[in-house]
Each structure stands twice: as structure tokens, then as C-alpha cells.
Amino acid sequence: MDDIAIRDPEPGDAEALEALITSHFSEGSTYGVDLGLDDPTYHVLVAVEGGAEDGEEAGGESDPDDAILGVMALREFDEPAAVADEMYFFDDPGLLPSAGLYGHLEMGYVSEEATGRGIGSRLLERLHAVGAERGVDLFLADSWYHGGADSPEKLFDAHGYETVHRDPIERSADECPKCEGECVCEGALAVRRVGGEGA
């Protein structure tokens, strides 16, 4: 298996994470990175090259030379309206199934050079475990499904998510950083109950 470490974020990670995330977007797009360092309801995980996980290297610090390969975060919410306020593609809380505690997945990106190494799956599985320990009973993501090889639809399908709502993103392929020939991008809402398929 690849030598990949999954760790908590460090204060100096913000700039590298923003560069990783915006590399997936159209030129000129920006993204403000929240590391959640002081928020017990927000859990950010970072994937880096390396052998030890969770800061098990000597001294508990990661090697600053380890390249950041991916990132994913989980934010907890009690109410569907609060989730809707946080979502990017949708703002209707009526789209959300009922739950006691929602776990909203966000900031899920892997560097293009590291795609196909199972990094997205490892980050998602670790956040599933964190959320289950915290009492999350419904995981969800409002996500950008696209025609590229790294479309999140493949990741969510493989981990037991059901896509419950889709809206097309209408633009030409020339304007899309992922699709070729024809843009097939959609804003999609994917959900997974704790204890459901893939749990």
C-alpha cells in the first residue's frame, strides 16, 4: 500500500491546502480554507506522503517536507437549516432527510498527481469513524459531480451514498476545468445513514 499518512491540520497548512483546492477550479477562482483548529464540531484531515499516521513521527510533528496530497473535512450540525446555510450548491433544508446529528462533508480534494491512490477513500473512511464516534447519524455532501476521472460521484457511490438531488450546472466545455467535449457538471446532494450500506 502507498506510504500515506492521515493527520490533523497544522497552522501552516492553509496556504498549501488553498493551492491544492483551487487547482481544481477554473482560473481565477478562490477558496478560503478553515482549518477548524479551535472548533470541536469541525474535523479537518490532511493526507501527506509519509509512513506514520496521526503525528506518530518522533516528537509528534509531521515532516514539513511531506507534500500535502489531499484534504477532507466534516462539520457537525443539529438542524437542517444550519446545514442548508453551509451548503454551496443548495439552500433548501427540505432536501435533507431528517437526522439527529448531520455530518456535512466538505473540502474534499486530492492533488491531481495523487489521484487513484485511494486517498479520498482513506480520508472519507476516517471521517466516517470520527462522525460515528461523535453521534452523526447522517453524512451528506453537496458536491460537484463532473466528467473528470476524479469526480466525487465515484467515491460516494463506492462508500454507500445515495444521490438524492441533482441540478445541472449549465456552461460550455470551454469554461469547465474538468469536462471535455460536453460539460456534464451537476451540483449533487449525496447522503449516507450511519449503519447503512458501506458502513
Side-chain angles (χ1 to χ4, degrees):
M1 172 163 270
D2 275 338
D3 216 15
I4 298 165
I6 307 294
R7 63 166 172 79
D8 292 334
E10 298 169 355
D13 289 339
E15 188 174 329
L17 290 175
E18 182 174 343
L20 183 154
I21 292 168
T22 56
S23 71
H24 291 267
F25 299 166
S26 299
E27 191 173 341
S29 297
T30 60
Y31 188 98
V33 171
D34 177 4
L35 297 177
L37 298 175
D38 299 315
D39 184 350
T41 67
Y42 191 50
H43 316 282
V44 179
L45 293 177
V46 176
V48 297
E49 294 280 11
E53 296 205 358
D54 295 323
E56 291 174 5
E57 294 89 349
E61 295 294 324
S62 64
D63 185 340
D65 294 327
D66 286 344
I68 293 179
L69 304 177
V71 61
M72 194 177 293
L74 178 74
R75 192 181 300 269
E76 300 168 23
F77 293 101
D78 294 319
E79 300 293 333
V83 181
D85 285 343
E86 186 70 18
M87 290 194 294
Y88 181 81
F89 291 103
F90 309 104
D91 58 8
D92 179 4
L95 295 174
L96 300 173
S98 63
L101 185 63
Y102 295 91
H104 180 229
L105 294 159
E106 57 184 72
M107 214 161 55
Y109 290 93
V110 173
S111 70
E112 292 188 25
E113 299 78 20
T115 298
R117 293 174 62 184
I119 293 169
S121 287
R122 289 180 65 179
L123 288 166
L124 184 59
E125 289 164 4
R126 185 71 66 89
L127 287 174
H128 282 165
V130 169
E133 288 176 6
R134 300 275 303 172
V136 169
D137 56 334
L138 184 78
F139 293 94
L140 66 113
D142 66 313
S143 191
W144 170 33
Y145 287 1
H146 54 73
D150 57 345
S151 177
E153 183 173 14
K154 298 169 186 175
L155 176 67
F156 292 133
D157 284 352
H159 288 273
Y161 282 76
E162 177 187 1
T163 301
V164 296
H165 190 80
R166 299 172 184 257
D167 280 339
I169 300 172
E170 296 182 7
R171 61 183 166 196
S172 69
D174 291 343
E175 298 172 318
C176 181
K178 293 289 186 176
C179 297
E180 295 181 11
E182 178 186 2
C183 182
V184 297
C185 289
E186 300 174 305
L189 179 61
V191 301
R192 176 185 183 271
R193 286 220 177 264
V194 171
E197 182 182 343

